Amino acid sequence: MKRIILVISALASLCFISCAQGKKNENDYNNKNMVLVAYFSATGTTEGVAKKIAAATGGDILEIKPEVGYSSDDLDWTDNSSRSSRESANRQSRPGIVLETNDVSSYEVIFLGYPVWWDEAPRVINTFIETFGLEGKKVIPFATSGGSGIANSVNVLRKSYPSVNWQSGKLLNRASSASVKEWTESLGL
């Protein structure tokens, strides 16, 4: 009888270890690459895409929050005196951000999302990059836009921060969950 209990205990232990290893493998994408999806969204559009990327990759999500939020007047691109117009015109502008974390060093891959303003990333993105020092990190930009592409914004970021390992960016206007998943899988992370 003792021998049967001993055999059953050994088998149960082996099953437990096997199941635990199987659970670990389900999240290998995030465990191998430690993915962060960081985004700034003034109207919620970029936020929706960021959530789809986080769901597709199993990555953590971090909203880049400006210390002072943007009102609809601030976002009026037809008004040269609006806050967003003034910030975009001033390459030295660095709007303050609210920090929900002080460290992103454990992440190997960072998806960085933003709306395209005046064919560039909003200056709050510069604040984020400079605050967290993304040197050597694999950064994959993604954006939403009412009329611009992403190419120039990525080129400007590459020139401004050459020590970041910039990957090809993607404009994800009205992207479905399926198309986001297909894109993230194609990156081979």
Side-chain angles (χ1 to χ4, degrees), residues 18-19 72-73 141 151 176 179 181:
S18 176
C19 288
S72 58
D73 288 342
S176 67
S179 66
K181 185 172 177 62

Side-chain angles (χ1 to χ4, degrees), residues 31-35 105-110 136-139:
N31 288 337
K32 276 194 252 178
N33 294 305
M34 292 301 297
V35 174
S105 63
S106 65
Y107 297 98
E108 295 177 24
V109 177
I110 299 175
K137 298 284 183 194
K138 184 180 284 189
V139 178

Side-chain angles (χ1 to χ4, degrees), residues 67-128:
E67 285 178 348
V68 178
Y70 291 86
S71 69
S72 58
D73 288 342
D74 291 335
L75 298 172
D76 184 356
W77 61 273
T78 64
D79 179 0
N80 289 336
S81 65
S82 73
R83 179 175 160 206
S84 60
S85 296
R86 289 189 324 271
E87 288 176 0
S88 293
N90 178 1
R91 292 198 172 277
Q92 302 309 311
S93 177
R94 298 295 185 267
I97 58 175
V98 176
L99 297 178
E100 293 187 1
T101 183
N102 291 324
D103 186 18
V104 299
S105 63
S106 65
Y107 297 98
E108 295 177 24
V109 177
I110 299 175
F111 285 87
L112 183 58
Y114 52 87
V116 177
W117 291 357
W118 292 267
D119 210 24
E120 293 185 22
R123 302 293 179 225
V124 73
I125 295 300
N126 299 84
T127 305
F128 175 78

Side-chain angles (χ1 to χ4, degrees), residues 19 23 26 35 37 51 55 58 80 87 98 121 151 153 167:
C19 288
K23 287 289 185 193
E26 287 176 13
V35 174
V37 181
K51 288 179 178 179
N80 289 336
E87 288 176 0
V98 176
S153 68
Q167 305 297 296

